[in-house]
Amino acid sequence: MTPRQSRLLAALAATSLLLAACSRGPEEGEEVDTTDGGTATTSADAGAAPTTTAETETTEASEDTAVETTTADTEGGETTEGGGGGGAEWTVSTDDCIDPDLANSPIEGTVSIGSSMPLSGGVAATAFGPVAEGFRAYIEYANEQGLLPEHEVSLNIGDDQYDAAQTPNVVNGLLDSGVNLFSGIIGTPNNDAVRAVLNEECVPQILALTGSPAWGEVADYPWTTGGLIPYNIEAEAYAQHIAEQFPDGATAALFTVANEFGEVYRTAFEAAAEEAGIEIVDAQTIEAADSAPPSAQLNSIAGNQPDVIMAVPLGAQCPTFMSELANAKAVQSGWDPQVYITNTCASPLILAVAGEAANGLITSASAGLQDVTNPEVAAADPDVQAYIDYMTNRGNADILSTATAGWNIGEVTVEILRQAAESPDGLTQASIINASRNFDYHPLLTREGVDYKMAGEEDAFYAEDIQIVQYDAATGFFTDIGDLITSFRSS
Amino acid sequence: MLKLNEGSPGHWVIRIIWVAAVVAALVYIPTKTNTSTIGDIATATQLAIAAMSLNLLLGYSGVISIGHSAFFGIGGYTTAILVSEYGWTQGWTIYVAAALAFVVGCIVSLPALRLKGVYLALVTLALAVLFPTLVRWGKLAWLTNGAQGISGIGYEQTPTWYNDHFARWQFINESISLPELRGREGRAIFLYWVGILILAVCYLVCRGIVKSRVGRSLIAIRDNETAAAVMGISRAKTKALVFGTSAAMCAVGGCLYAIQSTLAEPNLRFFTLLGSITFLLIMVLGGAATLWGPIVGAFAYVILDTRTRQAGESGEGVIGWLFGWMTGSPATLVLAIVLLIIVFVAPFGIVGLLKRIAAKFIVIIPRPAGTAPLPVSALEEPAVAGSPI
Amino acid sequence: MDRFLDAVFLGLSSGAIYALVALSLVVVFRASGHLNFAAGEMGTLSAFIAWAFYDAGVPLVIAALLGMAFGALLGGATEVAIVRPLEKKSPLAVFVALIALFLGINALTTGIWGAPPAEEIGNLFPNDPEDFWRIGGGVWRDRDIGALVVTLVITGLLFFLFQRTRFGLAMRGVASNAESARLVGVPTSRVLIGSWAIAGAIGAIAAILVAGNQGQVTPIIMVTIFVYGSAAATLGGLDSPGGAVIGGLLIGIIENLAAEFSKDWVGQEMKLGVALLVIFVVLLVKPSGLFGTAKVERV
């Protein structure tokens, strides 16, 4: 082929590409090189109802970035009356599903749960690996105990390496292999990337392991729910606590990691601080991949001498921050700020490296979970002891504290499945999401009084109860401060 | 040993067999495999486009670049911004992204004029590291949404014009017809075909450049820059053109990648230095300085990646036995080991290896005059004594 | 004034680490003419080995020395097993192999030591909160002064090696013209191995210092620092050890001053951007760096 012919062909292909690339509106076609030769129809649509698919899914919401504050109110003030007791239960509409029959057909035999977690690819994996283990452990436990009658539960966790671009591929693979629901996907952008697809396919995406407020969009994404305490609730709880400790007004500094998680948190805290009358005197950031001690940031913060620091570091940055803060305090004698730190750092495994420097920091119990490494807690609660025994038998004694998150998710998932199976519709994809949104359950590893509740459109978040705790470096335990705060409940 | 003259019927038979095989493979994938495989192959086409752009630069100009993740990212972010902020249709953003990347590529080629080897690699290294940092910069957050990234930019549905006018066309009889493209399967198939199409266009562009005057200028510059300058080849223009084209091509791959992932974020692996390195490795795996190398390399990479990840999780097979005790998946480690082996054993990559094997069986005797020079594998070039790379 | 001094002191200490990495890169470049892409990761692996000894009860200083020994071994092995055989094929092959090494070692350290609990390691210098000096209104921590001292000591040792020993003379010979050196009878092979070994040891101590500052060894400690080190080597001149040190310190100081006094435009988040800008500017204006030798091409 001569260069001229090549160029001509390239130009032709490029022109046809121009049209192939458009995705909206009916344009009268010109020549297009699509499929070559005749082939059999794809397997995708056997039996699908001929309704046009995603058109009715409202699409404006999908253009938004994840930081849309939700319909469900988190101030605890405006829950609509009528949430308790009477009135129709919320049910999901399967009319717009690609395959409504599949969404409503009973699941027989093995219920297959899918998930996507960072199992490799650097620091994230090591932080979240125990969560995956805990999840797997619970599912094994549930099968052994026969917690879901007439069904086996299988769990398939795919590895997306904390890269949100890989999560759709992982989820696609799992959907192809026939999972019935997704639970516990880690990462805000990761969940965001697959939210549209899973809602379109009417596959439940429950217990997203992030605290982004975006999972409360019940009307637009009914099949997606969150699993952790929303970051804005957490930030507000801290702000309220600060206001209580400093009734004459306090000054605060922010230290956040420069990624989605940190940004959302910072916005939430800034809003909450303004409401609570806290003056923010400094806001420093740290890059997600930066593991060096944040000396410069702390020098700056120390210069402003705030009463309080709200810290949102990532993983290994947690203890480094605390150590560096101790250094800064030594230099700036007389300054001893109270540190509030995100509950993703609230693990003795992570904080141990900081030693004494981490003493006295205030955080909250992640997802309302108890401090399982504290022998007093284990002694007082047989469920905690049972968890410890099971995990130790399994060889996971070294990750007890971090694995509780995974175990907890497993427990809540299986409970939802159980309730769905007992519902009049039996165990179907639709009934799973219905059960999850009409839910009131106390997970066994959580603190007394913590309830995971959801009620249709009014209450779109499970974990809204916060227990403020304080870390004791000498023992490595977290002691409760004050009572469980339930004022953030939406229902 | 079969000897065939170029242009003879025997040669044509071989060409036809090749084309038929390729077409069969192309058609097999979207129709017989499941959606995630189609999605993976679509990703492979995007990586192949990026590797091909790198190949253009490296294989034929001797320019080492580990900065192409920046162009990939420019493509992805252009699409993301135009779609989410200004409501553009995804397809049109590809053109804008290519143009923008072309300009940036030309600008970056300015230092490339004077630098060689290590120094050039350093500039591209800086570029690759700079891109995510710049995206996260507070001053640019109005554009890029900072560390949070931009989401929701995927296709919501496949083109209605296709479903309305072309789907359900029948060939011969009812059982053979063009399928409707719906839902996630439809999107996957659509992105697959778009990827294949663009890959074909890029292939033709590369081929066109190589066999044209620009290509010969490139080879002249690579072989002896001073002599080329003396002969009247404008190094500045040629290098700028090639760098720009390479950048534009890479950006197009990035656009498709962002559309398939439905988001653009500064922490995405392929927008960081790690991504640049992966493109380089894909190119080497497939065969640097061959036209098919990047394509084969990308497919091999995707297959390797998914298989080792699965094997690492389940602990089965050789991979599981060798690496199962490690934390997390051994995919990267396996890739690194494979690369090291390839560099020692088969520096001309998979395609080079296959060509050499094929050369033992079939030899095509080229036409006597006026043929373009065969591309030499850059990895086999003897080092010039005394100067760094 | 104290903020200025604080920034300068911080700059000197982070710059010291960059200088060490840059030194490692320069020593290799002078000998083999290649950029050791895996320099940072080799250091990380050596730091983990040092940790392994420390965890087993060996005193930290001895563990650090053992780590450096491992680094030297690793460097020498890389030269013999990877660089030398591939050099005959093509320079690109070496580059690709070093990149593959970078990826591979990173994956290896993550796989072996990635899981919690963390690999805690102490600091070679006093690192309690009270261990600092007040100098002219600014604050300088013991560990930071220590890092700078280590860098200067190693620079001094290298200087002594290059200028006053036969081996150093051989290294300079090979760096200047490898072919002629071989013809004259310089044991080029040993020089190359030695250079890479020295570079490996320097990288190891850099990583150990970094790990000590953080309190733990993690697989990613040297990834960004490698980029800074490259910037420093570029600024100073890829074949100038003195330039590497000065380049490192300069970059450390510049980035910290920029972050401190231009909070709006630079701030902490764009510190890396400053280093990258330095690379661009240097390569645009004077590719051989401040102290490197410019290459003259003869037609």
Side-chain angles (χ1 to χ4, degrees), chain C residues 11-101:
Chain C
L12 283 173
S13 49
S14 41
I17 308 275
Y18 307 155
L20 283 176
V21 174
L23 265 178
S24 169
L25 293 174
V26 162
V27 167
V28 161
F29 188 78
R30 277 169 64 100
S32 300
H34 297 292
L35 181 71
N36 181 9
F37 213 81
E41 297 312 301
M42 283 163 55
T44 311
L45 185 58
S46 312
F48 272 109
I49 300 292
W51 170 82
F53 283 111
Y54 174 73
D55 200 42
V58 175
L60 184 59
V61 178
I62 309 285
L65 287 171
L66 288 169
M68 285 176 76
F70 179 83
L73 222 76
L74 194 58
T78 308
E79 205 282 325
V80 171
I82 295 186
V83 176
R84 209 180 301 184
L86 287 179
E87 234 168 6
K88 304 193 190 89
K89 299 206 186 205
S90 92
L92 175 63
V94 180
F95 189 67
V96 170
L98 289 174
I99 289 188
L101 206 60

Side-chain angles (χ1 to χ4, degrees), chain A residues 20 35 67 119 159 172 176 200, chain B residues 36 148 178 184 190 309 328:
Chain A
T35 48
V67 199
L119 302 178
D159 180 9
N172 261 331
D176 287 338
E200 187 187 54
Chain B
S36 65
Q148 292 179 50
L178 288 181
R184 69 184 183 101
F190 183 72
R309 252 195 268 173

Side-chain angles (χ1 to χ4, degrees), chain A residues 43-255:
Chain A
S43 53
D45 293 279
T51 47
T52 42
T53 60
E55 252 154 68
T56 40
E57 292 284 323
T58 43
T59 51
E60 22 0 305
S62 67
E63 311 273 55
D64 291 355
T65 54
V67 199
E68 201 180 65
T69 40
T70 65
T71 50
D73 233 282
T74 50
E75 286 278 37
E78 283 148 59
T79 46
T80 46
E81 253 22 90
E89 258 195 8
W90 180 91
T91 49
V92 73
S93 154
T94 55
D95 298 333
D96 300 328
C97 294
I98 295 229
D99 190 349
D101 296 325
L102 182 62
N104 285 309
S105 62
I107 302 171
E108 311 276 345
T110 311
V111 180
S112 179
I113 307 176
S115 186
S116 178
M117 297 189 179
L119 302 178
S120 74
V123 188
T126 59
F128 294 117
V131 175
E133 272 313 300
F135 199 177
R136 288 195 193 109
Y138 186 83
I139 299 298
E140 285 170 21
Y141 172 78
N143 281 326
E144 279 172 25
Q145 305 283 322
L147 291 179
L148 190 63
E150 290 168 35
H151 296 277
E152 273 273 310
V153 184
S154 83
L155 174 63
N156 204 331
I157 304 182
D159 180 9
D160 65 3
Q161 301 192 317
Y162 211 41
D163 184 358
Q166 295 185 34
T167 315
N169 288 343
V170 170
V171 163
N172 261 331
L174 288 170
L175 281 173
D176 287 338
S177 64
V179 296
N180 305 113
L181 71 151
F182 282 87
S183 174
I185 301 179
I186 292 182
T188 305
N190 308 62
N191 277 288
D192 201 355
V194 294
R195 185 165 66 156
V197 168
L198 290 177
N199 274 271
E200 187 187 54
E201 296 276 327
C202 296
V203 173
Q205 180 190 5
I206 59 176
L207 298 168
L209 274 174
T210 99
S212 170
W215 317 132
E217 291 165 13
V218 182
D220 295 326
Y221 297 100
W223 297 84
T224 307
T225 76
L228 295 183
I229 301 174
Y231 303 139
N232 49 344
I233 293 189
E234 197 187 339
E236 267 190 58
Y238 296 146
Q240 277 183 14
H241 194 256
I242 295 173
E244 282 166 31
Q245 305 297 315
F246 297 89
D248 302 325
T251 51
L254 272 165
F255 178 80

Side-chain angles (χ1 to χ4, degrees), chain A residues 1 3 6-7 9-10 13-30 32-45 50-55 59 62-67 98 119-121 125-126 136 156-161 163-166 168-173 175-176 189-190 192-194 197 200-201 258-260 263-264 267 287-288, chain B residues 23 26-27 30-32 34-37 39-40 43 83-84 87-92 94-95 133 136 145 147-153 155-162 164-166 171 174-190 193-194 197-198 201 204-205 207-208 211-212 257 260-263 265 267-270 305 309 313 327-332:
Chain A
M1 197 187 302
S6 302
R7 270 180 246 146
L9 197 55
T15 319
S16 60
L17 203 61
L18 195 140
L19 309 167
C22 298
S23 82
R24 262 188 231 175
E27 286 187 20
E28 285 312 303
E30 295 170 28
V32 156
D33 304 351
T34 49
T35 48
D36 284 335
T39 49
T41 45
T42 52
S43 53
D45 293 279
T51 47
T52 42
T53 60
E55 252 154 68
T59 51
S62 67
E63 311 273 55
D64 291 355
T65 54
V67 199
I98 295 229
L119 302 178
S120 74
T126 59
R136 288 195 193 109
N156 204 331
I157 304 182
D159 180 9
D160 65 3
Q161 301 192 317
D163 184 358
Q166 295 185 34
N169 288 343
V170 170
V171 163
N172 261 331
L175 281 173
D176 287 338
N190 308 62
D192 201 355
V194 294
V197 168
E200 187 187 54
E201 296 276 327
N259 66 4
E260 165 110 44
E263 291 298 300
V264 173
T267 323
E287 292 300 299
Chain B
V23 167
L26 282 184
V27 169
T31 52
K32 297 284 185 219
N34 56 23
T35 313
S36 65
T37 314
D40 284 339
T43 311
V83 169
S84 71
W88 279 44
T89 312
Q90 288 87 343
W92 293 100
I94 295 182
Y95 292 89
T133 314
R136 274 189 287 245
N145 206 23
Q148 292 179 50
I150 303 175
S151 63
I153 57 173
Y155 285 119
E156 285 113 29
Q157 72 238 29
T158 44
T160 47
W161 57 259
Y162 172 79
D164 288 344
H165 301 285
F166 289 99
F171 294 85
E174 257 180 36
S175 62
I176 307 178
S177 64
L178 288 181
E180 268 189 19
L181 293 182
R182 295 213 180 281
R184 69 184 183 101
E185 288 91 355
R187 284 194 291 272
I189 294 177
F190 183 72
W193 282 116
V194 171
L197 213 70
I198 296 188
V201 170
L204 291 171
V205 167
R207 200 148 176 272
K211 296 200 193 293
S212 72
Y257 188 74
Q260 186 179 33
S261 317
T262 72
L263 59 92
E265 230 217 328
N267 295 318
L268 290 186
R269 184 165 160 212
F270 285 110
D305 194 41
R309 252 195 268 173
E313 276 157 34
T327 314
S329 127
T332 321

